Structure formats: structure tokens, C-alpha cells
Amino acid sequence: MTARFAVLGDIEVQVGGRPLDIGHMRQRGVLAALLVDVNRTVSVDQLADRIWADRLPQRFRSTLYSYLSRLRQALSCLEGAGARIVKEPGGYQLTVDASAVDLHRFRDLVARARTTEDGEHAVAMLEEALGLWRAEPFATLDTPWFSTLRETLARERLAAELDRNDLALLQGRHGELLADLTSRAEAHPLDERLAGQLMLALYQSGRAADALSHYRCTRERLAEELGVDPGVPLRDLHQRILSADPALASSHSLPTAASPRPVPRQLPAPPGVFTGRSKELHQLTAALEASADTKGGPGGTVVISAIGGIGGIGKSWLALRWAHENTHRFPDGQLYVNLRGFDPTEQPVPAALVVRAFLDALHAVPDSIPADPDAQTAQYRSLLTGRRTLIVLDDARDADQVRPLLPGSPSCTVLITSRNRLTALVATHGAQLLPLDVLGRDEAHHLLVSHLGTPRAAAEPESVAALVDHCAGLPLALGIVAARAATHPDFPLAVLAAELNQATDRLDALDVGDLTVSLRAAFAASHRALTSSAGNLFVLLGLTPGPDISLAAVASLAASSPARVRALLAELESAHLVRQDRPGRYRMHDLVRLYAAELAHQLPGQDREAALTRFVDFHVHTAYAANRLLDGPNTPFAIRTEPPAPGCGPLSPADTTAALQWFDEEHVCLLAVQSLALATGRLPQVWQLAWSLISYHQAGYHLTEYFTVWRAALTAAERHGDAPAPRALAHWRYGHAHSLTGDHSEALDHLGAALTLAERTNDIAGQAHICRTLGRVWEQYGDDERALDHALRALVLYQQLDNPVWQANQLNAVGWMHAQLGRYPQARVHCEQALRLYNEHGRPGDAASTLDSLGYIAHRTGRHAQAVEYYERALILFRKYADFSNEADTLANLAETHQAMGSLAAAREAWEQALALYQEQNRTAQSEQILARLRH
């Protein structure tokens, strides 16, 4: 089944030539936001920003999940064509052949047209690409992201049109272009390239006077608005028209041809194997064209920087690839220099030497070159005035090395690659920063296969996948792996993959003995360039696990203030040794982290242990404080923590919203910190972290993680010795985790062990909590009578304790079990007692589950209106405290009540909201039940 996705105009999906219903405007916007990054993961936060920006609805996540659920259903008929929306760890991805999306087909056709040598074929591809445009893209969506994207696409369209015009004029098609060129020139009066095309078309149509008149208008407009004269190519064309150059009458003459003069062609050979980077190549072109729009010339300064990539990210390859693809834009030549700013074997090249070499390349008369370096720089800039020249400054150390090499003419374009961001050039020279990240997995795989050859890669697909993973998307690492494989063509790739499997030796396995390509040498060069304080912080970061780290955690790690650490991280970020993906959160490339870890293991043992203790303590104490806000002061099995280590500054979230946000941001890191604590013998911190995550894990239905942290906690408690309280705690929660995964036998074994330990120490509270959980397990097992017995035993134990909230919790549990057995009067009595205790002693959120129970009882006894009221009150509380798991269950219950009342539209809406949450939580059984209800 043929599917076509269109965004270059109205957002549409066509199946077999017929439109597919994809919903209302905002829902279409979600589809468009995924299509722009087709086959790439887009996070929930990115989607929300693209669709709503700063106008987020109160429950935007639920709304977004609902849109995604409906889009999945709409696209379900296309799964045979490989089109579907999938949930990934980092967000959502629309997978489909990119050529089925008009935007990506447009870009692919334009890119291929620019590399083909067949002029007629190139024109045909460009016209096919331009024919895909139906109207203004995303016309109904007005968020900043869509508006910026529309502007970028408009520039890409204009650039493609100009390329098409150049090629079509070469083929003598001036007559058919004339009308469009006239209207385009009116819309873009300062575009000299467009002016030249119109002049040539007019001249070749026998309208020389009109061509000269258009030149005069263009010159006057440039002088009035920008204070500049036309560039050399346009002036040359003007002179050739004045002199009636016979070559202009030929359909095979270039409009930019000038009087013969030698031009520099200094670009090194393009990379032999290059893949991916299409987005960045388009961004470079867009930056050039945007600069032309704002400065009235064809050039500007573009800095290629490598965020999180440092050496080996592919900055030079990208610059050279783009430069070679765009030489036609620079008829006055291309200058190139390797500034060796971070060369491990040589010193950076002084700017004065580069200027003198460039003067020779520009054919300055030797006797006219002054001795003074500043005068040489002035002459260099004078020679470039009006020239359409590309200057590539590769591997710059800093802005000071670059400034003398920047031309003064807006007709020139400068590409600068550097491991530093060179942000000073943004303010002083209007530079545009282009972040360059590691390759995506598909791009990395394609690059490695291109090196190895398809037959060899196809023979060992699993080994190739392992090699790609080990190289972590770094092009230099992939090239080194391929080079090592090439030196031993008869060796299985599995041998090399096994070498790289040992993380601690991975940099050795990637070292081919040549300092110019050694990853370790590249990282060391960047590290040596740091101040001593920033260098020391880089080493400490090598101790930390997890994908990223917060500013506050770094401050504790370094025993320093956040303000001081922020300044040091800014230096590391400028050197591209860390990357700040979001404000206040920093990460390292995997191979950079390995190098930092090597240095960290060389620290004195006392310093290393002190830093690790501060780091772990920061997470333990902040998690404990955040969980107290979620679980309240009545937390069972209260965890006793020692004061944090000197130099550690844990956070104290202000409220439940801040606590949930902190857990959201730190969740993956907390799991890594717990593993670090277990590996380094910090055993109490292992179960302390597990306990602090209970509320967050259960509310968010993070069952896999819940199981994992309590398995680690049980291991730590057993290693700790004969301390019954930690072992009872770990068996209790690990048993509960088993029950949530459906393993009731294991659950009962661990809960029995926990109860035995609690009884041995006469721990009444512990016995009560464990019996409460046993009641839930027996309910899940289908034995409601035994579940009620355990619930009643737990209630008797809780009533021996002076804790009304615990008693209320268990009264609700007993009431719920009576309801499951059809004993509704007893159920209502217990649940109403629980609600009274919550109102007198608890927090507002504590009563949510009891309200859900009372709603269930009301529904079962025919009091549907009262059931709806209870459910809606419960939903308000579940949503306030981000308890998504219980929110989904209550929505499903509410839908059943609406259906019983005959309110089918309200029932469907509640089911759809519940379905979106169940799918987000990967609760397959519940999702399938609701889908079945929705089909009927």
C-alpha cells in the first residue's frame, strides 16, 4: 500500500491516492513535528515545545499521549508499508521511508542535483523537488518552532530555484524563466545572484537595455540600503553586456564568467567516505543564504563547533564536504589552512604566517607586500574586497587566532572549525554557531559499512553492530576501527569487537600508534589546554556514572560552590569536553568519559573516595527530602541517614511539583548512583536510595526499575551482615516488586521472609506493612478471602500504633476487599472511616485512593452520579501529585460509570485518556481491554 506524507503545504497523508483522516489541527501538528525528524526520536518535551511553545495546557502530557494514540490508530492501516509511531526510551519516533515524506524527498533531490555532472538531469531533479511545494508549509501552525522552520524552508526553496535557474540558463531556457525571474527579483531586490540571472535572461531574450536598467536599479538599491557596490561577478556581467560580449549569447556561457585571472583552489580532497550530516549540510547552506539576506552579500561567518564531540567528531570532514559541494558559489576561489589549534604534535600556526601564505595564493605582487604584519592583514582584506571567495579555517585554537584572518568584505564566506565554541566571534563578527553532535546509530552503521565493504559487514552483522555501539557515534573512532579491520582482512570482525568490549581498554584498542589519529592524544590535547581548576574538575567527572549530571551534583562532587563550578563547566563546555543539553545538566561523550575515567583512577585514593562519598551523599539526601514531600511524614520504615559528608550540598525541593521534577530529571542518574554505591561498598545508601524512589516508581508505573533497585537493595542488606531491619525492608519491597510482575510465588516467599524477620524483632509497624502487602498479593492471586484476612490482620496491628494516616490507609484496603467480595455496606463503612481520618490528619492527596474506592462502591450499588463525583475528585488529586498509574485506573472506572449512565461520548473520552496513559506505562493488558471497548 503506497503512502505519501505531505507538509510542504497543508499537512496531509494519502494512502493509495486518497486522503487519510489524521484529526484536527493540533493533532496534525504532532504528526508534522514527527515527520520533520522522521526515523529520529523526538522527546515529549520537544513535541510539547513544537506544538504549544509557552502556551502549554495544564495536562499537556495526557493531551499529547491522546493525540499520539489517535495518530497510531489512524496510521495502523500503514504498518504493512512500514509506517508507524513507536515509543522509544527518549520519546517517540515515526518510522517510514523518508522518500515518502515530501520535505525529505525535496531535500534529497536538491542534494543529488547539486552533485550530479549531468546538467539536464540536475534541472529535472530540481524541478521535481520544487514541484513538491503546494503552498506555505505548516500554514495553520504558529508556534515559534514551526515559524522558524517555515523561514528555513523558504530559504532552501529559494536556493533550489536559483540553482535551477543557473543550470536552465546554461541550457538556453531563458524565455521560460523570464517571468518567474522578474517576480522573484522584485521580491528579493538585494540578491545579486538573482539579479545576475534576470539580467542574463533579459539579454539573451534581446532586451539588453532592460538588463542594463535592472543593473542600475540593483546598484542604487544596494547603495541606498546597505552602502555597498555590487560584487565583482555582477559588475563583470554588466561590463560584458555593455560590450556585447558574444559569449553571452551562447546558452553554454556562465553568467559569472569574468576576465581570466588565476584563482586559488586550496581545498584539500573531500573525505573519501562520508555519510549522514544532511541536516548540518542544509544548516550551513541556510546560514549562508540568511547572511546574504541580512548583509546584502552572499557570505558571512559560520562557525562549525562540536558540542560534546571534541576531536574526531567530523568537523573538518563536514566543512570540506560542504565546501566541495558549493564551490560553484565561490567563483573567485577557495582558501584553506589547518591552524593546528589542537594538534598533539605541533604548535598552533600563527595568524601572521597564514596571512602571508594567503597573499601568495591571491597572487599579490611580491614587491607590493609590506613587511609589517598588520599591513599585510590590511592588504589581504583589500584583495578580497568584492570577491566571492570561501575561506576555510580548520582546527582553530581560539578567537584571537581567527580574527586577523577574517575578511572585511561581505562577499566572502568563512567556515571555521574548532573544539572551542568561539562565542566571542558571535558578538564581534556576527558568527553563526553550528552545533555538531555524534552520528546517529543508523548513520554510524552506514559509515562503518562503507569503510568495511558490504560483503564483509553482511557476513558478521552482530559484530558490526557491536563495533558501532563501542564507537559511540564518533566518526574518528569508526574510521580507526575500519582501518584496523583493513589491516587484517582475514580476521573475523568478532575479534575486534571482543577487544573493544572491555571498556577500560577501549581507548587502547582504538589507538593505531599515530598521534594524528589517536583518540587518547586528541583528548589529552584538549585537556592540556584547560586551566588547572577546569582540568581537575574534568578528572573528577570521570568518577561519575549516569548519562549526565546536574550542576548541583557537580558542586558536591568538587566540594565547591555552584557559581564557581558553573564557570569551570563553561570552560569545559567551550572546549567541548562536556555538553550542556539542558540548562544546568551536563554530559560527556562516551569515549571522552573513558578518558576522564582513566585520569580519575590515577587520583590519590583518599581524594577519590572523598569525592565519591560527596557525590553519593548528594543524591541520597536530596532523594530522601524529595520523597518526604511525596510520601509525607508518615513514611513507614523511616530511613535513618547520616549527615552528608563535608562539602556536600544536597537540595531541598520546595514542594511536590519540584520534587517530581527533580525525580524526573535525575531518575536514570539515581539508578546509576545506586549501582555505584553497591559496587563501592556504600551499602546503607543502596537501600536508602531504593526506599526514596518507591513513591516515584509506583506513581509512574516504573515497574522494571522498581524491581531492579530492590534487587540491589536486598543484595546490599545481605552483604551488610546480620542486621534484620534492612533485610526485612528489602525482602518486603522485593516481594512486592515480584507481585507487580505477576510472580506471586516469589512474592509470597520474600514477604514471608520479611514477616519472619519483623516478628523476630517484635517490629509491629513492620509486621503491619508486610501484612498489608500480603493482602494485595493474595488479591492479585485471586483469593479475595485470604486477602481480606491479611488486610484485617494489618488493620489490627496498625491500630496498636499512634498513626492515623496508616490506619486510614488500611481501613481503605479493608473496605476495598469487602467491595471485591460484594459486601458493599461493610465496604462503605470502612472507606468512609478512612476518609474521615484523612480529612482530620492527612494531606489532601492521601484521600485519592479512598475516593476511588468509594466511587467503585457507588457504581456497584447503582449510585452512578455519586460515583462520577467521587472519581472526579480522585482524579484531581492523582493529577496534582502526578500519580499516573492510579489516574489511568480511575479514568477506566469513570468510563465504565459513564457507559452505565448512557453517556457514551463521556465514556469514550475517559477511555481514550486512560488508554494514552496505559500505553505510556506499557500496561499491555489494560491497553488491550480498552481498545476492545473502544471498538464496540
Side-chain angles (χ1 to χ4, degrees):
M1 184 179 296
T2 302
R4 294 292 180 193
F5 297 83
V7 295
L8 299 178
D10 291 336
I11 303 163
E12 296 178 352
V13 180
Q14 290 197 347
V15 182
R18 294 186 175 184
L20 183 69
D21 183 6
I22 50 174
H24 52 70
M25 180 188 69
R26 292 291 180 205
Q27 190 165 300
R28 288 170 178 260
V30 174
L31 179 64
L34 292 171
L35 285 170
V36 170
D37 285 309
V38 70
N39 299 321
R40 294 174 180 267
T41 300
V42 183
S43 72
V44 171
D45 289 339
Q46 285 177 310
L47 284 172
D49 178 68
R50 294 176 183 186
I51 302 306
W52 291 290
D54 57 355
R55 301 191 296 272
L56 284 174
Q58 185 174 6
R59 291 291 299 161
F60 77 91
R61 289 182 182 273
S62 294
T63 303
L64 184 59
Y65 299 151
S66 176
Y67 292 168
L68 288 163
S69 175
R70 293 171 190 170
L71 285 170
R72 278 172 167 163
Q73 292 177 41
L75 298 181
S76 61
C77 63
L78 301 179
E79 291 193 0
R84 59 196 182 101
I85 296 173
V86 295
K87 178 72 173 69
E88 298 288 344
Y92 290 86
Q93 181 180 119
L94 195 157
T95 62
V96 70
D97 183 355
S99 65
V101 184
D102 59 359
L103 168 60
H104 299 290
R105 179 154 180 76
F106 165 77
R107 287 174 165 171
D108 178 64
L109 285 166
V110 171
R112 288 194 286 127
R114 287 170 176 163
T115 57
T116 185
E117 296 181 1
D118 184 337
E120 290 188 7
H121 185 45
V123 169
M125 285 193 289
L126 287 168
E127 290 182 340
E128 181 184 350
L130 293 168
L132 294 170
W133 286 69
R134 295 166 292 112
E136 184 181 48
F138 322 111
T140 56
L141 299 166
D142 61 353
T143 60
W145 185 82
F146 278 110
S147 298
T148 301
L149 182 58
R150 259 194 302 273
E151 294 171 3
T152 299
L153 290 174
R155 289 193 293 268
E156 291 183 30
R157 181 182 186 180
L158 178 59
E161 289 175 344
L162 293 175
D163 288 350
R164 185 272 317 271
N165 296 345
D166 277 341
L167 293 168
L169 286 168
L170 285 172
Q171 297 168 21
R173 296 168 57 180
H174 46 273
E176 63 187 79
L177 291 175
L178 196 52
D180 186 59
L181 283 171
T182 302
S183 61
R184 279 293 186 186
E186 290 175 356
H188 302 277
L190 301 180
D191 190 316
E192 293 186 48
R193 184 180 175 197
L194 188 55
Q197 291 176 350
L198 177 56
M199 287 167 61
L200 185 64
L202 287 166
Y203 182 78
Q204 292 182 341
S205 300
R207 298 168 58 184
D210 289 338
L212 294 171
S213 176
H214 186 69
Y215 175 80
R216 286 193 298 273
C217 291
T218 302
R219 181 184 62 195
E220 291 169 1
R221 193 75 173 263
L222 288 169
E224 282 180 15
E225 298 192 19
L226 301 173
V228 298
D229 291 327
V232 172
L234 197 61
R235 294 202 306 269
D236 285 346
L237 178 60
H238 176 239
Q239 288 299 320
R240 294 174 68 189
I241 292 173
L242 283 173
S243 61
D245 184 347
L248 287 183
S250 166
S251 63
H252 299 289
S253 65
L254 282 172
T256 55
S259 56
R261 63 180 177 187
V263 296
R265 306 288 185 189
Q266 294 189 332
L267 293 178
V273 178
F274 187 92
T275 188
R277 301 299 192 202
S278 58
K279 176 183 176 183
E280 289 82 1
L281 289 168
H282 285 304
Q283 285 179 303
L284 276 174
T285 302
L288 174 65
E289 291 163 355
S291 182
D293 289 342
T294 58
K295 299 181 180 180
T301 302
V302 179
V303 179
I304 302 177
S305 61
I307 292 183
I310 72 160
I313 199 73
K315 303 180 296 296
S316 299
W317 280 22
L318 174 64
L320 290 175
R321 176 64 174 237
W322 185 88
H324 278 280
E325 288 183 355
N326 290 272
T327 53
H328 63 281
R329 297 176 182 268
F330 308 104
D332 295 311
Q334 304 91 38
L335 299 171
Y336 172 87
V337 63
N338 183 349
L339 293 172
R340 304 190 184 282
F342 294 88
D343 193 300
T345 60
E346 299 185 33
Q347 292 298 311
V349 179
L353 292 181
V354 179
V355 169
R356 183 63 183 80
F358 280 174
L359 287 173
D360 289 337
L362 293 168
H363 301 280
V365 178
D367 292 343
S368 71
I369 299 176
D372 180 64
D374 290 339
Q376 289 181 5
T377 299
Q379 184 181 27
Y380 158 68
R381 289 176 177 150
S382 297
L383 288 173
L384 287 173
T385 299
R387 293 198 187 192
R388 194 176 293 183
T389 304
L390 173 67
I391 300 103
V392 180
L393 307 176
D394 198 8
D395 196 23
R397 178 77 171 195
D398 51 33
D400 290 338
Q401 188 186 23
V402 165
R403 285 193 184 96
L405 307 177
L406 299 178
S409 174
S411 62
C412 295
T413 290
V414 183
L415 291 185
I416 307 169
T417 76
S418 179
R419 298 184 196 180
N420 285 323
R421 284 194 170 183
L422 308 185
T423 49
L425 296 180
V426 176
T428 60
H429 290 78
Q432 301 178 52
L433 302 179
L434 175 62
L436 190 60
D437 205 345
V438 295
L439 294 173
R441 199 178 192 290
D442 289 344
E443 292 178 332
H445 184 274
H446 187 267
L447 179 60
L448 184 57
V449 171
S450 299
H451 277 296
L452 296 172
T454 302
R456 190 174 185 187
E460 295 185 72
E462 293 182 358
S463 297
V464 171
L467 292 173
V468 169
D469 290 339
H470 293 321
C471 292
L474 197 66
L476 178 59
L478 292 160
I480 291 173
V481 164
R484 294 200 61 186
T487 60
H488 299 287
D490 298 328
F491 280 21
L493 295 177
V495 173
L496 183 54
E499 286 183 36
L500 292 175
N501 194 46
Q502 296 298 320
T504 55
D505 300 328
R506 198 174 301 166
L507 291 178
D508 288 326
L510 291 171
D511 195 331
V512 295
D514 181 350
L515 282 177
T516 62
V517 296
S518 167
L519 284 180
R520 185 180 280 105
F523 299 157
S526 293
H527 183 235
R528 284 195 301 271
L530 300 170
T531 62
S532 60
S533 297
N536 291 338
L537 181 62
F538 174 75
V539 175
L540 288 177
L541 289 171
L543 295 170
T544 63
D548 62 1
I549 187 170
S550 69
L551 174 66
V554 178
S556 289
L557 174 73
S560 185
S561 69
R564 172 60 176 157
V565 165
R566 184 183 287 108
L568 297 177
L569 286 167
E571 183 178 347
L572 294 179
E573 190 177 6
S574 181
H576 296 299
L577 288 164
V578 300
R579 178 175 82 206
Q580 189 175 189
D581 284 339
R582 289 176 290 149
R585 298 203 70 81
Y586 301 83
R587 69 171 61 233
M588 287 178 167
H589 183 277
D590 291 351
L591 297 178
V592 178
R593 182 191 293 276
L594 285 177
Y595 178 68
E598 285 185 357
L599 299 181
H601 285 299
Q602 298 171 21
L603 288 170
Q606 184 177 354
D607 294 345
R608 184 169 61 250
E609 288 302 307
L612 283 172
T613 298
R614 292 191 300 269
F615 176 75
V616 173
D617 278 3
F618 167 82
H619 290 90
V620 168
H621 285 268
T622 307
Y624 179 73
N627 184 62
R628 291 271 292 181
L629 289 167
L630 301 182
D631 212 23
N634 300 301
T635 300
F637 273 113
I639 300 295
R640 293 183 176 86
T641 56
E642 298 295 328
C648 173
L651 302 176
S652 296
D655 51 29
T656 55
T657 300
L660 284 168
Q661 182 178 355
W662 187 82
F663 275 124
D664 281 340
E665 292 176 347
E666 297 289 354
H667 183 213
V668 177
C669 291
L670 288 168
L671 302 181
V673 171
Q674 193 206 35
S675 296
L676 173 68
L678 182 61
T680 57
R682 293 169 168 81
L683 302 179
Q685 287 89 335
V686 177
W687 60 75
Q688 288 165 2
L689 279 170
W691 178 261
S692 295
L693 281 162
I694 288 177
S695 293
Y696 178 76
H697 278 165
Q698 292 189 165
Y701 214 74
H702 301 289
L703 299 189
T704 301
E705 294 86 349
Y706 182 56
F707 187 91
T708 300
V709 297
W710 282 106
R711 181 172 56 200
L714 181 58
T715 300
E718 290 174 341
R719 288 183 187 174
H720 196 260
D722 191 27
R727 284 192 292 134
L729 167 66
H731 277 295
W732 169 36
R733 302 314 301 190
Y734 193 43
H736 182 236
H738 273 291
S739 75
L740 295 178
T741 60
D743 191 345
H744 298 98
S745 177
E746 282 289 326
L748 292 172
D749 286 346
H750 284 285
L751 290 169
L755 187 59
T756 298
L757 288 166
E759 289 172 342
R760 185 190 305 170
T761 57
N762 196 31
D763 181 356
I764 301 300
Q767 294 175 56
H769 303 324
I770 296 163
C771 286
R772 172 180 170 82
T773 303
L774 279 165
R776 292 177 177 174
V777 173
W778 282 112
E779 179 193 358
Q780 292 171 347
Y781 202 64
D783 192 334
D784 290 344
E785 288 289 359
R786 188 173 289 186
L788 178 60
D789 289 344
H790 283 285
L792 289 168
R793 180 184 174 189
L795 179 59
V796 170
L797 290 165
Y798 279 126
Q799 288 170 341
Q800 298 178 40
L801 303 170
D802 185 19
N803 193 311
V805 173
W806 291 354
Q807 294 174 27
N809 287 340
Q810 198 54 32
L811 282 166
N812 178 53
V814 171
W816 176 256
M817 289 317 307
H818 276 303
Q820 299 308 298
L821 290 164
R823 302 165 187 169
Y824 298 116
Q826 299 97 314
R828 187 181 304 111
V829 168
H830 282 88
C831 289
E832 287 176 347
Q833 288 179 12
L835 191 59
R836 282 196 296 273
L837 284 175
Y838 284 134
N839 291 336
E840 293 171 5
H841 303 283
R843 301 175 305 160
D846 293 337
S849 291
T850 298
L851 289 167
D852 177 79
S853 298
L854 287 167
Y856 178 85
I857 295 165
H859 172 76
R860 293 296 174 179
T861 54
R863 295 175 293 119
H864 296 131
Q866 190 175 22
V868 169
E869 179 187 348
Y870 279 131
Y871 285 141
E872 289 180 343
R873 287 170 61 189
L875 284 172
I876 291 172
L877 296 175
F878 286 139
R879 287 166 176 167
K880 180 178 180 179
Y881 294 97
D883 190 342
F884 302 120
S885 176
N886 280 315
E887 178 188 353
D889 293 337
T890 299
L891 280 165
N893 292 338
L894 176 62
E896 297 282 353
T897 303
H898 277 309
Q899 186 185 47
M901 297 172 68
S903 303
L904 301 183
R908 185 173 189 85
E909 181 180 0
W911 268 322
E912 286 179 346
Q913 292 180 36
L915 176 63
L917 288 170
Y918 282 143
Q919 289 177 334
E920 177 65 17
Q921 297 161 18
N922 295 317
R923 296 169 70 177
T924 305
Q926 292 89 338
S927 298
E928 291 177 349
Q929 289 172 6
I930 291 186
L931 283 170
R933 301 301 298 268
L934 288 171
R935 292 190 191 103
H936 297 86

